[in-house]
Amino acid sequence: MHHTSTARQAASPEEPAPTGTVLLRGGAVYSPADPFATAMVVDGGTVAWVGSEGAADSFADGVDAVVRLDGALVTPAFTDAHVHTTATGIALTGLDLSGAATLADALARTAAHAAGHPADRVLLGHGWDETRWPERRPPTRAELDEAAGGRPLYLTRTDVHSAAVSTALLDLVPGVADLPGFDPQAPVTRDAHHAVRRAAYAAVTPAQRTAAQRAALRHAASRGIGALHECAGPDISAEDDLTGLLALAAAATGPQVFGYWAEAAATPADLDRIRDLGAVGAGGDLFVDGSLGSHTACLHTPYADAPHTGTAYLDADTIARHLTLCTEAGVQAGFHAIGDAAISAVVDGVRAAAAAVGLERVRALRHRVEHAEFMTPATIAAFAEFGLVASVQPAFDAAWGGADGMYAERLGAERARDLNPFAALTRAGVPLVLGSDSPVTPLDPWGTVRAAAFHRTPEHRISARAAFNAHTRGGWRAIGRDDTGVLVPGAPADYAVWDSGDLVVQAPDERVANWSTDPRSGTPGLPDLTPGRPLPTAVRTVVGGRTVFARPNG
């Protein structure tokens, strides 16, 4: 991609919104307004026109800048609907154990990180997964103490629902041994993990935290992400972490950030905190249960590899009270629910709230359920009935699905096949919104779309187009904005430019994902996301008409 005139530079945050006009031409513009569009005019922060190359000629002399796309693809910017921004930045800039091939490798990486960061008050790392190691076990406390040289160490498992910690970190948490989820040698889970996480992140300096947030937002922009939903809460981060992130995002030229605060409301006054924090909803990771990897997702029948049914953090009465208060106040609510029993508890709570305040009032607020993995026909029907949004992470299936994956290990192959039923949710009319849960899985929107289109269980696959729409427009609809996330005249100029290769149209089929390059379909083409093919790379990301990422020499 090159410029025939110098495109306007991204404005500083103090400047008003962009006022110039830009014509992008000579590429492919993904727009429902014109499936064959090759050009787009942006006026300030708004899309003004989308159309054909021939019609673009009439605009060329009247705009302030022309951008020649040289065949590049222009799409709406992605929205990642479930992110932990500070933790993502710490994983990007700190100790990343996701590539550790063995337990010994993870411990060696930890020791090297400790040696290289002598001034850090607490050593932070992320991403270990014992199910991928030949040792098939997490590190012991003694192994961690040795690797950390006796210093405080906090290493989150890949699902972030348990953590391997050193003795020195536990010493910073009085009473931790009495909390549910504490084990003298194994990783901490449940309440003990939440308490240890608070202590670990309390040791992060404000400067470190801001640097991590900046790194995460820069990385998001480089992946074509124009907006993200931050899932914060008292068991995950801290109030100043959320307010600092929202202030940083508002003051900087970068992706937009919308915050959720995960604290159950017991009285109407509790919702004042949502407004005070600047959050858009009282939800996100409001934990009804934990995760499958850490054996804390709440199930109706026991795990295949553990003699229990997981952990219930909230009961249906608490869920109903939270939903009722939120609905009466006009505040969007939401929950983290993964296991079938946890999702049933949410549905029971929503049903009670609808009985109390009215079905239409519940439906109007588009209350959310994060993850919604272990669905049944009954809970899928209930999501449709109550207008619940399923905020899902297809990369979870790519990482842990399939006959030999972690899900099958935890649940047995038969139950594991039921997880993440995107096609059934879509057929029922349940709104899907896609995200990463970063740092649980990476910020990787095209990889997320591919994971949905090539689900490891074929009957759960949806078309690439449906997944793409759920990862763009769906993210905006989930926060009540129906005018954004699509390139049509009058929409905000939030878009990304991609090196993408040939464009194709996927025809969904029950047995196999078919692809077509037939232009008569009248459907805008998307990159060929067949596994093994390279994914598109971002050349430029624009939010509100301002460039927030430009690839060097792009």
Side-chain angles (χ1 to χ4, degrees):
M1 188 181 85
H2 66 274
H3 302 262
T4 54
S5 62
T6 303
R8 187 177 296 269
Q9 294 299 305
S12 71
E14 292 77 20
E15 292 181 46
T19 55
T21 52
V22 179
L23 168 64
L24 298 91
R25 65 182 304 180
V29 179
Y30 187 91
S31 171
D34 182 349
F36 311 114
T38 64
M40 179 171 76
V41 173
V42 173
D43 185 358
T46 305
V47 175
W49 173 85
V50 174
S52 68
E53 199 59 27
D57 288 336
S58 63
F59 291 102
D61 293 336
V63 297
D64 297 317
V66 176
V67 177
R68 295 207 175 273
L69 295 166
D70 295 337
L73 171 66
V74 181
T75 71
F78 284 101
T79 294
D80 192 312
H82 193 121
V83 176
H84 303 285
T85 308
T86 302
T88 297
I90 288 170
L92 286 167
T93 59
L95 173 57
D96 180 3
L97 295 175
S98 60
T102 66
L103 170 58
D105 182 19
L107 291 169
R109 292 180 187 217
T110 302
H113 180 80
H117 295 77
D120 288 3
R121 289 187 286 185
V122 170
L123 299 164
L124 302 173
H126 169 71
W128 59 270
D129 183 354
E130 81 287 359
T131 67
R132 297 181 185 273
W133 292 340
E135 296 93 343
R136 307 293 292 174
R137 68 169 179 84
T140 65
R141 188 119 326 124
E143 288 170 333
L144 294 168
D145 290 345
E146 182 179 355
R151 294 162 64 191
L153 171 70
Y154 174 74
L155 301 178
T156 42
R157 192 182 183 278
T158 183
D159 58 6
V160 198
H161 281 268
S162 56
V165 299
S166 67
T167 304
L169 179 59
L170 292 173
D171 290 344
L172 300 178
V173 190
V176 67
D178 299 323
L179 294 175
F182 177 81
D183 186 286
Q185 276 299 325
V188 290
T189 63
R190 301 170 59 193
D191 296 4
H193 176 221
H194 297 157
V196 168
R197 173 158 48 194
R198 280 192 290 271
Y201 280 111
V204 175
T205 66
Q208 280 177 301
R209 186 174 64 218
T210 300
Q213 291 172 347
R214 284 190 195 281
L217 294 176
R218 277 196 306 270
H219 184 63
S222 77
R223 307 312 296 262
I225 296 169
L228 53 86
H229 299 175
E230 164 68 15
C231 292
D235 290 330
I236 304 155
S237 50
E239 291 185 12
D240 57 357
D241 185 272
L242 175 60
T243 55
L245 172 64
L246 295 177
L248 174 68
T253 299
Q256 298 179 73
V257 177
F258 300 90
Y260 285 87
W261 185 252
E263 196 163 5
T267 69
D270 291 340
L271 294 174
D272 292 341
R273 185 190 306 263
I274 302 301
R275 302 181 185 95
D276 292 345
L277 292 172
V280 297
D285 273 335
L286 181 49
F287 295 122
V288 179
D289 66 346
S291 75
L292 290 164
S294 289
H295 291 103
T296 50
C298 191
L299 308 176
H300 283 306
T301 54
Y303 283 85
D305 61 349
H308 61 79
T309 57
T311 304
Y313 293 119
L314 300 178
D315 59 22
D317 289 344
T318 305
I319 292 165
R321 183 167 63 244
H322 179 69
L323 278 161
T324 300
L325 288 168
C326 287
T327 304
E328 288 175 337
V331 173
Q332 185 187 33
F335 302 92
H336 160 121
I338 286 178
D340 54 350
I343 294 168
S344 293
V346 171
V347 165
D348 291 345
V350 178
R351 186 168 280 115
V357 301
L359 175 62
E360 289 311 310
R361 290 180 73 187
V362 167
R363 287 179 61 90
L365 283 166
R366 307 179 188 185
H367 298 309
R368 293 172 56 151
V369 180
E370 308 298 318
H371 315 309
E373 290 202 75
F374 198 168
M375 303 290 292
T376 66
T379 53
I380 291 171
F383 271 46
E385 177 186 356
F386 297 118
L388 299 178
V389 174
S391 172
V392 300
Q393 295 75 38
F396 286 8
D397 173 73
W400 303 308
D404 301 319
M406 180 272 287
Y407 290 153
E409 191 174 310
R410 293 287 184 269
L411 300 175
E414 187 176 341
R415 278 192 295 175
R417 285 183 65 85
D418 293 335
L419 294 184
N420 301 299
F422 305 143
L425 287 162
T426 300
R427 281 196 299 271
V430 176
L432 287 187
V433 50
L434 270 52
S436 63
D437 199 6
S438 179
V440 176
T441 63
L443 297 171
D444 178 18
W446 285 115
T448 296
V449 173
R450 174 154 69 190
F454 292 92
H455 197 295
R456 289 178 180 273
T457 305
E459 61 261 35
H460 298 329
R461 292 174 178 171
I462 57 176
S463 70
R465 183 183 182 207
F468 178 82
N469 289 340
H471 214 350
T472 51
R473 196 170 196 176
W476 289 99
R477 286 178 163 165
I479 58 170
R481 293 272 299 276
D482 293 340
D483 61 337
T484 304
V486 61
L487 298 179
V488 296
D494 297 350
Y495 62 91
V497 181
W498 306 91
D499 277 343
S500 64
D502 293 336
L503 302 183
V504 295
V505 175
Q506 181 193 18
D509 182 282
E510 268 113 33
R511 299 175 306 277
V512 65
N514 289 331
W515 300 89
S516 168
T517 54
D518 187 347
R520 292 172 297 180
S521 66
T523 301
L526 284 169
D528 186 345
L529 302 176
T530 303
R533 293 184 65 90
L535 292 170
T537 56
V539 176
R540 183 174 296 267
T541 307
V542 176
V543 175
R546 293 193 177 105
T547 297
V548 301
F549 165 77
R551 189 172 69 191
N553 305 315

